[in-house]
Structures are given as C-alpha cells and as structure tokens.
C-alpha cells in the first residue's frame, strides 16, 4: 500500500513522548522514538518527506490516550490502518488487537488465533514489526512461561504498560 498523505503529531505520556502518523484512513504508525528518528523511520517505509505535515492529533485519539493514561480500562476505537505488512503480519496484528485491557496472552495463543499453532516464532517476528505501538497492544503478548519476552521499545516500557493496566 502506498501512503499518499501523512500527518504527524505527538502525545506526552508518563513514559515519554509518543509520535503518531495518521491520515484520513487512520493511525498507521506510532513510536516512542524521538521526532527525527520517527520521521526517518517513516521515510524508510517509503513515505516521502514532501507529504509529511506536523499536526495536532485527532481529537478521538487524544481523548482515548488521556483516558488510557489516566487509568481508565479502555479499548482503543480510533481508526487504524495497516499501511504495510504482509498478510500474515496483519492477521497477527488484528489478533493482538483483540487482547483486552489488563490481560495478557502468549505468543502461542496468538499463533493459534491466526490458524498457525506452531508458528509462534513467526508470530514473535510479526509482533516485533508492529508499526502501531500501544494501539495494537503488542505489550500484552508474553511468553508461555509468564516471562515478558521482548519489546521493541525495551522491557522497562513493556513492564510499565502492563503494570499500568494491572496485568502484572
């Protein structure tokens, strides 16, 4: 898929500044990287710098983030758009979106949900490639033994998010 328009805005959270990329189709990327790293990452995904505009966040996204970080157990309803990723990755990301606030699931659970029960390593790779941090709650996926596993923005962030939700 090709991104033809991109707005970028930020949200200051207790764990750092989240950057979000969005357009009329929905939020398609988020990160805790700094602005320059986030913009560079977007261009590495084929998004021309010419179409990126700094903007306020959509009001629904800001309201949902305010609720989430104030401790309300919410499910993000803001529209999202998987602007890239393989069919398998998108299936994994959709399965991860179904994990309720305050709960965790294993990589093996996600593998079963996408109909590939032995593909938990491939699921881990797909989760690692998740472009929409927090809204696609990959932090809720842990190892079958209950340990945290990995997280692209570090285990400190993953643990904070899980504690914030009361999952650990």
């Amino acid at each position: 898929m090709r991104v033809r328009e991109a707005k970028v805005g930020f949200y200051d959270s207790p764990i750092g500044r989240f950057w979000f990329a969005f357009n009329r189709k929905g939020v398609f990327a988020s990160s805790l990287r700094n602005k320059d790293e986030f913009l560079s990452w977007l261009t590495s995904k084929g998004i021309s710098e010419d179409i990126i505009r700094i903007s306020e966040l959509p009001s629904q996204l800001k309201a949902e983030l305010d609720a989430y970080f104030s401790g309300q157990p919410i499910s993000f309803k803001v529209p999202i758009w998987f602007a890239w990723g393989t069919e398998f990755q998108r299936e994994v990301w959709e399965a991860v979106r179904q994990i309720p606030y305050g709960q965790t699931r294993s990589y093996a659970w996600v593998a079963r949900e996408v109909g590939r029960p032995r593909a938990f390593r491939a699921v881990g790779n797909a989760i690692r490639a998740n472009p929409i941090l927090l809204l696609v709650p990959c932090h809720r996926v842990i190892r079958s033994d209950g340990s945290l596993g990995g997280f692209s923005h570090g285990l400190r962030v993953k643990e904070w998010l899980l504690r914030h939700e009361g999952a650990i």
Side-chain angles (χ1 to χ4, degrees):
M1 290 176 228
R2 185 173 153 95
V3 177
R4 299 184 192 279
E5 65 171 308
K7 296 178 182 177
V8 171
F10 67 88
Y11 182 88
D12 286 322
S13 80
I15 55 173
R17 179 169 281 181
F18 275 90
W19 287 93
F20 293 89
F22 53 94
N23 60 25
R24 57 188 145 79
K25 294 181 180 182
V27 176
F28 60 87
S30 63
S31 178
L32 280 167
R33 296 176 176 99
N34 69 45
K35 177 184 175 185
D36 291 338
E37 288 175 348
F38 185 57
L39 294 175
S40 176
W41 180 79
L42 289 172
T43 58
S44 78
K45 291 292 193 181
I47 301 173
S48 169
E49 289 181 33
D50 298 345
I51 67 165
I52 298 174
R53 303 285 179 258
I54 302 301
S55 176
E56 295 290 320
L57 292 181
S59 58
Q60 179 183 357
L61 176 57
K62 184 179 181 321
E64 289 179 0
L65 290 167
D66 286 344
Y68 177 85
F69 285 109
S70 71
Q72 294 178 37
I74 69 154
S75 295
F76 288 102
K77 302 293 186 204
V78 65
I80 66 165
W81 173 49
F82 296 127
W84 48 78
T86 66
E87 182 179 336
F88 176 74
Q89 287 173 323
R90 290 190 303 272
E91 288 175 7
V92 168
W93 300 334
E94 284 294 346
V96 169
R97 289 183 72 198
Q98 305 312 309
I99 303 171
Y101 178 99
Q103 296 183 27
T104 60
R105 299 289 187 272
S106 69
Y107 295 95
W109 178 89
V110 176
R112 287 190 303 274
E113 286 296 298
V114 298
R116 304 219 7 226
R118 300 182 66 139
F120 45 86
R121 287 184 195 260
V123 162
N125 289 331
I127 289 171
R128 187 176 305 113
N130 171 20
I132 312 174
L133 178 67
L134 191 62
L135 305 184
V136 176
C138 55
H139 61 278
R140 296 178 187 156
V141 182
I142 62 172
R143 292 183 176 151
S144 294
D145 68 4
S147 63
L148 293 182
F151 194 62
S152 61
H153 289 280
L155 290 180
R156 178 188 65 81
V157 172
K158 183 173 188 170
E159 183 177 359
W160 190 97
L161 291 167
L162 290 173
R163 285 191 189 286
H164 174 73
E165 294 182 13
I168 59 171

